[in-house]
Amino acid sequence: DSGVTQTPKHLITATGQRVTLRCSPRSGDLSVYWYQQSLDQGLQFLIQYYNGEERAKGNILERFSAQQFPDLHSELNLSSLELGDSALYFCASSYLTGGQNEQFFGPGTRLTVL
Amino acid sequence: QQQVKQSPQSLIVQKGGISIINCAYENTAFDYFPWYQQFPGKGPALLIAIRPDVSEKKEGRFTISFNKSAKQFSLHIMDSQPGDSATYFCAASLGGFKTIFGAGTRLFVKA
């Protein structure tokens, strides 16, 4: 158990809908990362927050947004969902000490868009 | 320049054999190179990591070899066991931000 929690575990929804994925980082970790993992794309970095502020952005679509709250939990919002958004979404957290950055991954949320 | 290329895509090794996974990167500013192991239904977990000022790091049966001039690094799993069957990701990080992952290697160790 990494100490990172993600809810829900599974999510089934329809195209065009909007969903929110939630992540609670390990106690003491200030940084939260979101990744998308699909069968043919591997692990794609979406976005990183550090202590409430956006720090790095990857291949995140404009239909997706995220935020980190004062209690350090984070939410990833996915809107106007398309079939291709079906994937595993992982949250990871780290304390972030200079260049050394061990990320602890949560169990993931499996999103299925029908 | 932000890519990390990983090979092979899949690997089958006999129990007791050596598993070797290779990665290459372009951006010389990357300063941290971790390897993650992922079992089915689980999130990736850090296996071993190396900084670019070190050419080799060994932890138990797992060794990272790092070639800075060639911009390549590899994971060697000695005495591979069926329990090592998993997907392995190499990655590269810049100042702790924006970790770029390789595409992953599915390792199957035959008993």
Side-chain angles (χ1 to χ4, degrees):
Chain A
D1 183 3
S2 67
V4 177
T5 60
Q6 288 187 250
T7 56
K9 201 168 183 179
H10 300 278
L11 198 48
I12 301 174
T13 188
T15 54
Q17 294 298 306
R18 182 180 190 274
V19 297
T20 297
L21 312 184
R22 183 187 168 101
C23 168
S24 293
R26 289 188 326 155
S27 176
D29 282 356
L30 300 177
S31 208
V32 168
Y33 311 76
W34 285 98
Y35 293 89
Q36 180 190 57
Q37 185 176 38
S38 50
L39 278 173
D40 57 345
Q41 293 285 329
L43 265 172
Q44 296 290 315
F45 168 71
L46 296 178
I47 198 164
Q48 177 196 3
Y49 280 83
Y50 176 76
N51 206 19
E53 293 189 6
E54 182 184 307
R55 290 303 285 269
K57 221 168 185 176
N59 302 321
I60 188 165
L61 299 171
E62 284 192 14
R63 300 183 286 109
F64 296 1
S65 65
Q67 59 183 130
Q68 186 179 29
F69 294 87
D71 67 352
L72 301 177
H73 91 271
S74 178
E75 291 181 357
L76 178 67
N77 300 297
L78 315 176
S79 62
S80 302
L81 285 167
E82 302 174 0
L83 295 177
D85 297 328
S86 295
L88 261 172
Y89 290 84
F90 286 106
C91 165
S93 74
S94 72
Y95 179 72
L96 196 62
T97 53
Q100 207 149 334
N101 178 25
E102 177 177 359
Q103 296 181 31
F104 295 85
F105 282 77
T109 292
R110 182 172 293 281
L111 173 67
T112 302
V113 182
L114 300 176
Chain B
Q1 221 191 7
Q2 294 290 334
Q3 274 190 320
V4 176
K5 293 183 181 177
Q6 183 172 348
S7 63
Q9 198 170 15
S10 61
L11 184 58
I12 300 174
V13 173
Q14 291 282 356
K15 180 182 173 182
I18 302 173
S19 304
I20 301 174
I21 304 170
N22 300 300
C23 285
Y25 63 98
E26 292 290 327
N27 190 345
T28 55
F30 286 134
D31 58 4
Y32 179 65
F33 299 87
W35 285 88
Y36 284 82
Q37 179 188 54
Q38 184 180 27
F39 292 104
K42 304 286 186 183
L46 181 69
L47 186 64
I48 186 172
I50 198 167
R51 302 287 298 268
D53 51 350
V54 175
S55 61
E56 187 176 279
K57 183 173 181 181
K58 186 175 179 179
E59 288 184 3
R61 296 184 295 108
F62 300 92
T63 300
I64 300 178
S65 297
F66 191 86
N67 186 330
K68 192 173 180 177
S69 60
K71 292 186 282 186
Q72 294 174 349
F73 57 112
S74 60
L75 176 70
H76 294 235
I77 305 174
M78 313 299 287
D79 187 27
S80 299
Q81 299 296 313
D84 297 330
S85 297
T87 299
Y88 292 82
F89 294 95
C90 63
S93 174
L94 179 59
F97 303 110
K98 202 170 183 176
T99 300
I100 307 297
F101 283 79
T105 296
R106 285 191 175 184
L107 171 66
F108 180 67
V109 181
K110 289 203 293 190

